[in-house]
Amino acid sequence: MVNNNRTGYVPKPMETLKNSLSKNIMIDVRGNRTYSGVLEGYDIYMNLVLKNATETINNENKGTFGMMLLRGDNIIFVSPSGGE
């Protein structure tokens, strides 16, 4: 994520997670799975807790979970949502 200001500042991953708390995010993990939901928490290992998480496997919606923990070593990328 690049900040479009004149200083060229690029936020660090943990800063991006901190700024995404209580906001919608999308996570791509190994096994062609994608999750989206509200980021409720994270730790230094990038384990993420999502609320109201939707699981998509091979572009097919597999359901919604009230609370979910995603293990950091399976995460490929995290994308903060533009809209809320």
Side-chain angles (χ1 to χ4, degrees):
M1 181 167 120
V2 176
N3 191 346
N4 291 328
N5 62 25
R6 294 176 191 232
T7 64
Y9 173 75
V10 177
K12 295 183 179 177
M14 290 300 169
E15 184 179 344
T16 299
L17 287 176
K18 180 180 177 185
N19 292 334
S20 297
L21 278 172
S22 300
K23 296 180 182 173
N24 287 315
I25 63 170
M26 185 179 75
I27 299 122
D28 191 25
V29 299
R30 294 180 193 180
N32 210 14
R33 295 173 186 246
T34 303
Y35 297 92
S36 60
V38 177
L39 181 63
E40 288 292 305
Y42 64 94
D43 64 13
I44 61 170
Y45 303 106
M46 213 165 163
N47 297 315
L48 305 179
V49 177
L50 292 182
K51 182 170 82 172
N52 300 325
T54 301
E55 178 181 42
T56 305
I57 303 173
N58 295 322
N59 295 320
E60 183 180 335
N61 188 339
K62 294 296 184 175
T64 302
F65 303 89
M67 192 71 66
M68 175 177 281
L69 171 67
L70 295 171
R71 190 173 157 149
D73 62 352
N74 290 318
I75 294 173
I76 297 171
F77 74 80
V78 176
S79 176
S81 177
E84 295 173 49

